[in-house]
Amino acid sequence: MGLRDVLQLQLQLNELYHRFSLLSSISPLSLLSISSKHTHLSSSLLSRRRPRRCSLRTMATMPSSSSRLRNLVPLSAIAAENATPGGASNGSASSSSAATALADDQDDSTAEVGYRLPPPEIRDIVDAPPLPALSFSPHRDKILFLKRRALPPLAELARPEEKLAGIRIDGKCNTRSRMSFYTGIGIHQLMPDGTLGPEKEIHGFPDGAKINFVTWSPDGKHLSFSIRVDEEENSTSKLKVWVADIETGKARPLIQNPDIYLNAVFDNFVWLDNSTLLVSTIPLSRGDPPKKPIVPVGPKIQSNEQKNVIQVRTFQDLLKDEYDADLFDYYATSQLVLASLDGTVKEFGSPAVYTSMDPSPDQKYTLISSIHRPYSFIVPCGRFPKKVDLWTSDGRFVRELCDLPLAEDIPITTSSVRKGMRSLNWRADKPSTLYWVETQDGGDAKVEASPRDIVYIQPAEPLNGEEPEILHKLDLRYGGISWCDDSLALVYESWYKTRKIRTWVISPGSKDVSPRILFDRSSEDVYSDPGSPMLRRTPAGTYVIAKIKKENDDGTYVLLNGSGATPEGNIPFLDLFEISTGNKERIWKSDKEKYFETVVALMSDEKEGDLLVDQLKILTSKESKTENTQYYIMSWPEKKAHQITNFPHPYPQLETLQKEMVRYQRKDGVQLTATLYLPPGYDPSKDGPLPCLIWSYPGEFKSKDAAGQVRGSPNEFAGIGPTIPIIGEGDEEANDRYVEQLVASAEAAVEEVIRRGVAHPNKIAVGGHSYGAFMTANLLAHAPHLFCCGIARSGAYNRTLTPFGFQNEDRTLWEATNTYVEMSPFMSANKIKKPILLIHGEEDNNPGTLTMQSDRFFNALKGHGALSRLVILPFESHGYASRESIMHVLWETDRWLQRYCVSNATDVNVDVDGSKENVGLGADSETKAVATSGGGGSEESNFEDEVFPSRQRSLLW
């Protein structure tokens, strides 16, 4: 993954962190978080109220080396969109609508009308102003501080939106709906001594401007960004593109024509050179939106008279009819224009549904991608027919590169792909050379083929009908290329079924040099991860592998940046690696005793030619259990670090929180790891056991050894990413023994916290979000002896409603009927006797977790007399965004835990020593009171999009 991609990923994580992380003050309650990565155990305060914070779980596939970039955003593409509503410039409580009643914290639940607020201690933490995001200039001499607001009000989520082709569109702005935004931009000069100069504010835009898509020009002299402002009746204007001069800080509209607006449904604008941008605009000829016919022209018909085999997941927000298709065309169609800093505007091509614009490194060409009809009613727009054309950057059409048909038939098996050209990109180390990959197995992972993928390469304008050249053949699925030069590139391939991942060394410019495997390992084996090559920025603005030189040494060295997973936790490192011999020298590693440090980026890459190891300059992040992340610049050969940020502690109430990483074993021998969070000054020997909350998320593995490896660091700042391991070794599928392994993991965790004396065996609660909610319901059904109550948010409970796979299940309902039925807590609703709180967003758009899942599960519970409560959050999606909703979730969580965990006096047949009576678990009745907790993730998707609430008497993860 390149620096740009890593930083973009971190922007998304950072936005989630500030929008969805929920905090709590803890009275008597403890927490345990179980993980395939590592489990987190946390005990609450005794009788004091102290705020605690919960953290957002990172994606399981995300490189650990980048996991702490909470405030860093891409150097060339800062786009604050995807998942947060736009709206008012602050997120204060006063911005809620008149129809929204915010009640004070009360124990009486009879007042069912209105939103509720947790105690002031928690409100203060939730409303703490977020830290700014950072972005470095191309020459690494300036830093942007991108300022943002706190949580948005519910009124912003209530804005009308069109749900079309798998995306949600704000018709007023002609953008994706629920966009986040920045409220201001500050520029700091990075001084030679590593300090920051005084802040210079970008100025000139309207009051209350909402800023998006901040992007540096290639020469670092200008910024481009979009601006929208509030209008009457809480509506927001369409977006305009603005530019700012870095030296003066003065901002102005890029296009003077007041009728030209940005179309930001897909790609929005990109710098073609230092003075010209290619901008996606709303066509001037566009009229009013199409009107829905009062009487339909005919029935809605879908046909499969050709007997095609088409299996699709439960995608949401799809097109429903021809009117929807027309509406999608209306909002998504753009007119591209060339807009220069001197005010010149020129149309580029004809209107179409353009989805991306990618200029070549030499700025001579641009790849233009678009989608077109026929559309589909069963798959989202990412699978619509796709066309990629090559244009010159001044607007001359060159040639069509591909026109892929509608892809409704991609198999559900993991590692299956679309047929035809994929991953069409520019070589980062060449002026204008294209490369792409094509499947040889029809895109079906179940088909045996060798090779499975072939990577091709071709000049932008081939001479004399020159055919594409084969660059490399792969027997696994293509996973990307890191380019360096004609002598070096790294090609990645992987296969999910076996978790195998390979890295190949190739010489793109030397046909006589045979490719060789550099690394061949399991993607689950984090202990063997050698790290990823560090990339440097080229003068063209692309990123290539940084070659490093040592004095009096002709070897070819690169820098490998690794997470450094060990049985004691992650100890990130930077290795000087010789490509030819495989020899490596560790030139930097994190302080494992107190701090968690990571290498973020090269800061000496503005120099041309190979980089000398004694002249390296890198950006690092540093944090501890009680100190939030700060950034440093470290220079060789002294390796002296200069701190460049001094962010205040966002939650000073949490500074004295205790944190410890612990290890324990499941009954089948699987090693589990956890992080134990304890109240300040808490001593179990003196203070006794506490109520405990376990918040977790299951994860699949192919081996016990991989599941037992430690992931994460005990020195990270109040943030975790655990899961419960579900293992399917060899030909066995993980879900074949899902419930059995789920219960075993929970028992091991509960046993550990009881053994340590931090958890009261009668007062252990369990909870989770998305797949973690699914887990919670299953544990209450199949391990009722462990838990006094549960909290399940935004889950899926009936697997027959997701018949073509879910999470990483590749088999259909008809291929694995028993698995689907046995895994569905809906089918065991009659077994759930412990109190369960269900929470769900009314507008959940995540595949699989339709709001209907919670509705039907609650009705099933009610039909069997279960003590249960269902909370549907208006306007909220899979992750909860508004201040009102998040505060209310905290109130609901605290009320539930206080009532059914903290105050629980029920006899659950567990004594303090951990022994219990046989409760019907089969032959194995030697289980003990257990507790678990962990991170969360999105059902059927790898993107974590959720809230982790905690509250006065509980700490949730």
Side-chain angles (χ1 to χ4, degrees):
M1 180 178 288
L3 174 62
R4 177 174 175 175
D5 299 322
V6 169
L7 297 184
Q8 179 63 48
L9 186 60
Q10 278 311 128
L11 169 64
Q12 296 169 347
L13 180 61
N14 189 37
E15 290 297 324
L16 290 171
Y17 172 81
H18 284 290
R19 288 197 306 269
F20 301 140
S21 292
L22 297 184
L23 311 153
S24 82
S25 54
I26 312 280
S27 197
L29 195 79
S30 61
L31 163 76
L32 169 63
S33 163
I34 282 195
S35 168
S36 57
K37 294 183 171 183
H38 63 268
T39 299
H40 293 264
L41 316 166
S42 170
S43 284
S44 80
L45 304 180
L46 297 173
S47 57
R48 300 158 293 194
R49 285 190 174 184
R50 296 197 185 236
R52 296 284 185 88
R53 92 175 252 285
C54 291
S55 88
L56 188 64
R57 172 184 170 273
T58 59
M59 288 185 290
T61 56
M62 180 175 162
S64 299
S65 60
S66 65
S67 64
R68 310 316 302 166
L69 313 187
R70 291 197 183 105
N71 298 303
L72 216 60
V73 290
L75 303 177
S76 59
I78 306 167
E81 61 175 332
N82 295 337
T84 312
S89 59
N90 61 60
S92 65
S94 61
S95 58
S96 58
S97 65
T100 303
L102 285 172
D104 288 334
D105 182 30
Q106 305 170 35
D107 287 332
D108 183 12
S109 65
T110 58
E112 297 291 343
V113 177
Y115 287 88
R116 311 298 282 273
L117 288 171
E121 305 96 313
I122 300 177
R123 287 180 239 169
D124 291 344
I125 297 174
V126 175
D127 287 334
L131 299 176
L134 307 183
S135 175
F136 286 86
S137 66
H139 299 299
R140 308 293 194 263
D141 58 343
K142 295 179 180 65
I143 306 177
L144 296 184
F145 276 50
L146 298 155
K147 302 167 185 181
R148 44 194 166 191
R149 54 132 183 218
L151 294 170
L154 185 66
E156 292 187 12
L157 274 66
R159 287 169 52 85
E161 59 183 0
E162 302 291 346
K163 301 172 183 178
L164 303 167
I167 61 176
R168 295 182 175 183
I169 298 172
D170 184 329
K172 289 281 188 181
C173 300
N174 220 103
T175 67
R176 298 289 180 98
S177 61
R178 307 181 180 218
M179 285 205 314
S180 172
F181 59 86
Y182 299 116
T183 59
I185 305 174
I187 307 171
H188 292 266
Q189 186 77 30
L190 184 59
M191 310 306 288
D193 62 357
T195 60
L196 297 183
E199 182 174 86
K200 180 193 302 178
E201 282 276 356
I202 297 292
H203 59 278
F205 37 73
D207 291 340
K210 300 175 181 179
I211 303 167
N212 290 90
F213 313 119
V214 183
T215 312
W216 289 94
S217 65
D219 60 6
K221 294 182 179 180
H222 291 88
L223 288 178
S224 59
F225 47 89
S226 69
I227 281 185
R228 56 198 159 106
V229 294
D230 281 338
E231 294 180 339
E232 66 280 354
E233 297 181 357
N234 197 39
S235 65
T236 304
S237 69
K238 293 182 175 63
L239 280 65
K240 287 277 195 177
V241 182
W242 284 57
V243 291
D245 184 281
I246 292 295
E247 289 305 314
T248 65
K250 175 66 175 174
R252 62 179 176 83
L254 172 66
I255 300 172
Q256 298 304 313
N257 187 335
D259 297 324
I260 296 181
Y261 294 99
L262 184 67
N263 188 337
V265 170
F266 291 108
D267 208 353
N268 38 73
F269 54 84
V270 63
W271 289 90
L272 297 183
D273 55 39
N274 293 325
S275 61
T276 307
L277 293 94
L278 183 59
V279 182
S280 177
T281 68
I282 297 172
L284 288 172
S285 59
R286 190 180 81 173
D288 295 330
K291 294 186 182 299
K292 188 176 183 67
I294 298 175
V295 178
V297 296
K300 300 175 183 177
I301 298 173
Q302 296 186 57
S303 173
N304 190 34
E305 296 178 50
Q306 297 77 25
K307 297 184 179 181
N308 294 323
V309 176
I310 298 176
Q311 302 176 351
V312 294
R313 298 286 176 111
T314 46
F315 299 115
Q316 299 193 52
D317 298 342
L318 301 177
L319 300 178
K320 298 181 291 296
D321 49 33
E322 282 304 316
Y323 167 73
D324 272 2
D326 292 342
L327 203 59
F328 176 76
D329 276 337
Y330 177 84
Y331 287 115
T333 298
S334 297
Q335 171 64 63
L336 301 182
V337 301
L338 293 169
S340 299
L341 295 179
D342 63 7
T344 305
V345 177
K346 172 187 171 185
E347 288 191 351
F348 186 110
S350 301
V353 182
Y354 296 110
T355 57
S356 67
M357 306 169 286
D358 189 11
S360 62
D362 64 3
Q363 303 173 349
K364 291 183 179 179
Y365 301 95
T366 303
L367 286 179
I368 305 293
S369 299
S370 60
I371 55 180
H372 60 82
R373 291 177 183 252
Y375 296 152
S376 170
F377 300 128
I378 63 172
V379 295
C381 58
R383 297 192 182 185
F384 287 0
K386 177 182 178 181
K387 191 166 177 279
V388 183
D389 293 328
L390 182 67
W391 294 69
T392 62
S393 291
D394 60 359
R396 177 178 63 85
F397 176 78
V398 178
R399 63 185 175 117
E400 179 185 289
L401 296 173
C402 67
D403 192 350
L404 306 178
L406 178 64
E408 289 183 330
D409 59 349
I410 299 175
I412 63 170
T413 310
T414 308
S415 300
S416 295
V417 295
R418 189 173 193 158
K419 301 171 188 175
M421 296 173 72
R422 326 190 309 271
S423 303
L424 183 55
N425 285 298
W426 297 107
R427 265 187 69 167
D429 61 326
K430 290 290 185 182
S432 52
T433 299
L434 295 164
Y435 72 98
W436 66 91
V437 63
E438 294 185 28
T439 179
Q440 306 300 300
D441 58 12
D444 189 346
K446 290 184 178 180
V447 174
E448 295 295 330
S450 180
R452 191 172 290 278
D453 275 341
I454 297 180
V455 183
Y456 295 92
I457 197 164
Q458 187 180 49
E461 293 194 75
L463 302 175
N464 302 319
E466 180 183 354
E467 292 296 315
E469 175 186 340
I470 293 178
L471 177 70
H472 192 53
K473 296 181 179 181
L474 300 166
D475 281 341
L476 307 181
R477 189 64 77 204
Y478 169 79
I481 300 179
S482 294
W483 298 97
C484 183
D485 53 29
D486 273 338
S487 67
L488 174 64
L490 301 180
V491 183
Y492 309 100
E493 62 174 343
S494 64
W495 197 244
Y496 177 78
K497 194 75 171 177
T498 60
R499 308 302 199 270
K500 182 178 286 293
I501 184 171
R502 290 181 186 146
T503 303
W504 290 84
V505 178
I506 64 171
S507 297
S510 305
K511 293 183 180 180
D512 55 340
V513 178
S514 299
R516 63 183 176 88
I517 294 177
L518 184 64
F519 303 120
D520 189 348
R521 46 182 294 271
S522 167
S523 60
E524 293 180 340
D525 183 10
V526 294
Y527 291 171
S528 70
D529 187 353
S532 302
M534 293 210 71
L535 306 181
R536 62 175 299 173
R537 190 179 189 276
T538 68
T542 60
Y543 286 88
V544 299
I545 297 173
K547 273 190 175 180
I548 310 297
K549 284 292 183 183
K550 296 176 67 174
E551 271 192 53
N552 304 318
D553 190 332
D554 293 331
T556 300
Y557 291 90
V558 299
L559 295 171
L560 293 182
N561 182 13
S563 61
T566 74
E568 289 73 44
N570 287 1
I571 306 173
F573 63 82
L574 192 63
D575 280 351
L576 191 62
F577 183 83
E578 213 288 318
I579 288 289
S580 300
T581 64
N583 295 330
K584 58 185 176 182
E585 173 189 351
R586 189 140 298 178
I587 62 174
W588 176 88
K589 68 176 181 178
S590 174
D591 174 3
K592 69 176 182 179
E593 299 303 323
K594 181 180 179 182
Y595 292 100
F596 178 71
E597 303 167 287
T598 62
V599 174
V600 177
L602 276 173
M603 296 296 288
S604 51
D605 62 347
E606 77 280 3
K607 301 175 182 177
E608 294 193 38
D610 293 344
L611 305 178
L612 297 176
V613 68
D614 287 338
Q615 296 179 10
L616 285 179
K617 187 185 294 184
I618 61 173
L619 178 70
T620 66
S621 68
K622 183 177 181 179
E623 64 192 88
S624 72
K625 299 175 185 177
T626 58
E627 300 169 71
N628 58 304
T629 303
Q630 305 291 353
Y631 294 95
Y632 296 76
I633 290 181
M634 179 179 290
S635 302
W636 268 252
E638 298 86 1
K639 298 185 184 179
K640 184 176 180 181
H642 297 276
Q643 185 172 340
I644 62 169
T645 62
N646 190 25
F647 297 127
H649 196 298
Y651 317 113
Q653 305 95 321
L654 309 180
E655 285 186 292
T656 53
L657 189 69
Q658 297 183 60
K659 180 179 178 183
E660 177 190 357
M661 184 175 284
V662 297
R663 301 203 71 186
Y664 55 100
Q665 191 176 82
R666 204 165 74 178
K667 64 183 179 183
D668 60 359
V670 175
Q671 290 292 324
L672 300 173
T673 309
T675 300
L676 174 65
Y677 285 83
L678 295 168
Y682 170 74
D683 183 345
S685 64
K686 296 178 182 179
D687 302 322
L690 305 173
C692 176
L693 172 64
I694 295 163
W695 195 268
S696 192
Y697 190 88
E700 295 88 0
F701 290 88
K702 288 302 292 180
S703 73
K704 293 180 179 179
D705 288 343
Q709 291 184 353
V710 178
R711 294 157 173 86
S713 167
N715 295 323
E716 292 177 79
F717 175 69
I720 59 173
T723 61
I724 282 183
I726 307 296
I727 302 163
E729 294 187 298
D731 294 333
E732 183 185 63
E733 297 294 337
N735 287 338
D736 292 343
R737 295 192 299 118
Y738 174 87
V739 172
E740 174 188 340
Q741 296 191 59
L742 192 69
V743 172
S745 294
E747 288 175 335
V750 170
E751 185 176 68
E752 180 64 18
V753 288
I754 292 177
R755 185 190 69 79
R756 288 175 167 266
V758 298
H760 192 295
N762 288 18
K763 299 181 179 183
I764 297 175
V766 64
H769 187 99
S770 193
Y771 207 47
F774 175 73
M775 170 214 72
T776 297
N778 266 309
L779 284 174
L780 291 184
H782 302 291
H785 60 288
L786 298 178
F787 306 108
C788 59
C789 67
I791 301 169
R793 297 203 323 261
S794 299
Y797 308 103
N798 184 350
R799 285 302 166 200
T800 67
L801 297 178
T802 57
F804 291 107
F806 57 90
Q807 244 6 59
N808 293 311
E809 177 57 64
D810 289 336
R811 299 166 296 180
T812 70
L813 169 65
W814 299 273
E815 293 170 324
T817 305
N818 289 340
T819 298
Y820 275 68
V821 171
E822 290 169 5
M823 286 183 69
S824 297
F826 181 86
M827 305 300 180
S828 300
N830 60 318
K831 298 179 181 179
I832 296 178
K833 306 301 182 183
K834 298 297 176 65
I836 181 169
L837 170 64
L838 303 176
I839 302 175
H840 215 120
E842 191 171 32
E843 302 295 331
D844 195 328
N845 66 341
N846 187 59
T849 56
L850 293 80
T851 308
M852 172 184 65
Q853 288 271 8
S854 286
D855 284 329
R856 292 187 176 180
F857 188 43
F858 177 67
N859 286 332
L861 292 168
K862 226 176 17 169
H864 291 90
L867 197 166
S868 52
R869 180 177 174 93
L870 172 62
V871 178
I872 301 296
L873 302 172
F875 304 113
E876 295 289 354
S877 187
H878 191 61
Y880 317 144
S882 74
R883 182 180 185 274
E884 291 92 328
S885 295
I886 288 173
M887 290 292 192
H888 187 83
V889 167
L890 289 171
W891 179 85
E892 291 279 358
T893 299
D894 175 67
R895 172 186 173 275
W896 201 256
L897 293 172
Q898 174 62 18
R899 228 169 237 211
Y900 304 112
C901 181
V902 175
S903 301
N904 179 47
T906 304
D907 178 11
V908 291
N909 296 323
V910 182
D911 61 26
V912 176
D913 294 329
S915 61
K916 75 169 193 68
E917 298 178 5
N918 189 331
V919 292
L921 286 180
D924 180 17
S925 62
E926 294 301 316
T927 53
K928 300 179 181 179
V930 192
T932 63
S933 165
S938 292
E939 167 75 11
E940 296 189 13
S941 70
N942 290 324
F943 184 66
E944 175 52 64
D945 177 21
E946 65 177 272
V947 190
F948 282 93
S950 346
R951 160 54 169 128
Q952 154 184 9
R953 302 165 189 86
S954 62
L955 178 58
L956 307 179
W957 233 288

